[in-house]
């Protein structure tokens, strides 16, 4: 069965991604309301009952809003590190605390869930604890690195394995510098435990793209400090400088903040 990918939402107001096949699937993060999750899955003929697990990247509100509800009301196992679980249950935005649905995973240790092999890896960000995921299905790999301030070599090693890559391109440096945010927030976003900007993501891709990489999904774009067309053009131009033609050598997609993507079948 083919691998299917759907972004339900991607941005500072909420993040949630679906990965599955014709029979079942998993969610990566649940930072939007449960009714929105059910609606957007249903629009793509994906019943909530077919979701077999939820994997959390970190404990910020825009990644965990519906995690407690999915775990305790809908009995979907919620996987993350011990520290992230502690952080989630302390977070005011998650009204239902995770108890029976709690599942602990360890960084760099693969977990097999039916046809998926899921490996969490540490990323630099300012949550209680922070991970990305490399997910293998039918000998194809998709990597998620949604929130991170920079890409150390260990992270790069995981991302270079991907056939399909979901990677942060959060802000444009000039828009952030001249934008309305106070200094402390600008500093938090731009430091090495904050977020990746368009140019940083573009440079990483230009230096690390591999022949097997078929799709790049730019995620977690800022509402105030980025534009989808700007993120796209920055990456496209930088790749072209390395002789890589977007649309021919690799597909490039920017994921919307408040709307679902189309469903991609790999």
């Amino acid at each position: 069965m083919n691998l299917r990918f759907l972004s339900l939402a991607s941005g500072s107001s909420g993040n949630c991604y679906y990965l599955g096949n014709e029979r079942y699937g998993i969610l990566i993060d649940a930072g939007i309301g449960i009714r929105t999750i059910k609606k957007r899955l249903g629009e793509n003929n994906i019943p909530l009952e077919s979701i077999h697990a939820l994997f959390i990247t970190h404990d910020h509100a825009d990644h965990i809003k519906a995690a407690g509800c999915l775990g305790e009301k809908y009995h979907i196992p919620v996987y993350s590190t011990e520290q992230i679980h502690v952080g989630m249950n302390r977070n005011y935005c998650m009204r239902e605390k995770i108890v029976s649905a709690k599942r602990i995973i360890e960084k760099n240790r693969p977990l097999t869930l039916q046809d998926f092999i899921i490996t969490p890896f540490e990323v630099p960000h300012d949550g209680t604890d922070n991970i990305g995921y490399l997910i293998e299905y039918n000998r194809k790999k998709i990597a998620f690195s949604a929130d991170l301030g920079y890409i150390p070599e260990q992270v790069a090693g995981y991302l270079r394995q991907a056939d399909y890559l979901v990677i942060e391109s959060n802000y444009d440096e000039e828009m952030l510098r001249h934008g309305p945010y106070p200094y402390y927030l600008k500093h938090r976003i731009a430091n090495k435990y904050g977020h990746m900007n368009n140019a940083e993501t573009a440079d990483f891709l230009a230096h690390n793209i591999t022949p097997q990489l078929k799709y790049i999904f730019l995620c977690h774009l800022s509402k105030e400090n980025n534009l989808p067309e700007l993120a796209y053009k920055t990456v496209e131009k930088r790749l072209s400088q390395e002789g890589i033609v977007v649309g021919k050598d690799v597909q490039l997609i920017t994921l919307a903040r408040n709307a679902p993507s189309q469903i991609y079948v790999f």
Side-chain angles (χ1 to χ4, degrees), residues 29-204:
D29 287 335
I32 54 178
I34 185 63
R35 282 184 289 185
T36 303
I37 290 174
K38 292 172 70 175
K39 179 177 182 290
R40 292 180 180 176
L41 288 175
E43 289 169 348
N44 288 277
N45 299 312
I46 302 168
L48 189 62
E49 294 74 22
S50 72
I51 303 300
H52 287 193
L54 166 63
F55 288 83
I56 299 294
T57 60
H58 63 293
D59 62 348
H60 286 166
D62 57 325
H63 296 260
I64 66 170
K65 181 178 181 180
C69 180
L70 288 168
E72 299 303 315
K73 182 177 180 180
Y74 291 95
H75 309 294
I76 296 171
V78 181
Y79 291 82
S80 204
T81 68
E82 176 66 46
Q83 285 181 285
I84 293 172
H85 273 291
V86 170
M88 284 195 289
N89 280 340
R90 288 177 177 168
N91 195 309
Y92 71 92
C93 83
M94 202 178 72
R95 296 180 181 178
E96 294 189 58
K97 305 308 177 185
I98 298 170
V99 181
S100 62
K102 178 180 177 181
R103 304 290 187 274
I104 301 299
I105 55 179
E106 296 181 22
K107 297 169 190 173
N108 307 310
R109 178 169 291 185
L111 163 74
T112 299
L113 183 70
Q114 295 183 253
D115 298 299
F116 292 94
I117 302 171
I118 300 153
T119 306
F121 54 90
E122 184 168 6
V123 299
H125 192 53
D126 57 6
T128 303
D129 194 14
N130 312 276
I131 53 178
Y133 291 101
L134 181 67
I135 302 173
E136 183 174 356
Y137 175 86
N138 196 23
R139 292 182 290 182
K140 295 294 183 183
K141 295 179 180 180
I142 182 167
F144 290 84
S145 55
D147 287 45
L148 71 172
Y150 73 105
I151 301 178
E153 181 53 36
Q154 183 189 19
V155 175
Y158 281 106
L159 303 188
R160 283 193 291 263
Q161 297 180 48
D163 299 278
Y164 317 105
L165 176 60
V166 182
I167 187 170
E168 177 173 68
S169 191
N170 180 254
Y171 67 97
D172 173 74
E173 193 171 11
E174 288 299 311
M175 288 183 69
L176 178 66
R177 180 180 295 116
H178 299 293
Y181 281 4
Y183 172 78
Y184 80 89
L185 186 52
K186 291 181 180 181
H187 176 72
R188 185 226 156 205
I189 291 168
N191 75 36
K192 64 187 295 187
Y193 295 101
H195 295 277
M196 295 272 289
N197 66 44
N198 297 337
E200 291 169 333
T201 299
D203 278 341
F204 171 79

Side-chain angles (χ1 to χ4, degrees), residues 199 202-203 206-207 233-243:
D203 278 341
H207 291 121
K233 288 295 184 183
T234 302
V235 174
E236 180 186 41
K237 181 179 179 180
R238 184 67 185 87
L239 290 177
S240 71
Q241 292 171 354
E242 303 297 323

Side-chain angles (χ1 to χ4, degrees), residues 219-234:
C219 73
H220 210 287
L221 273 65
S222 169
K223 177 183 178 181
E224 293 82 7
N225 302 303
N226 210 351
L227 297 168
E229 57 270 25
L230 184 55
Y232 184 98
K233 288 295 184 183
T234 302

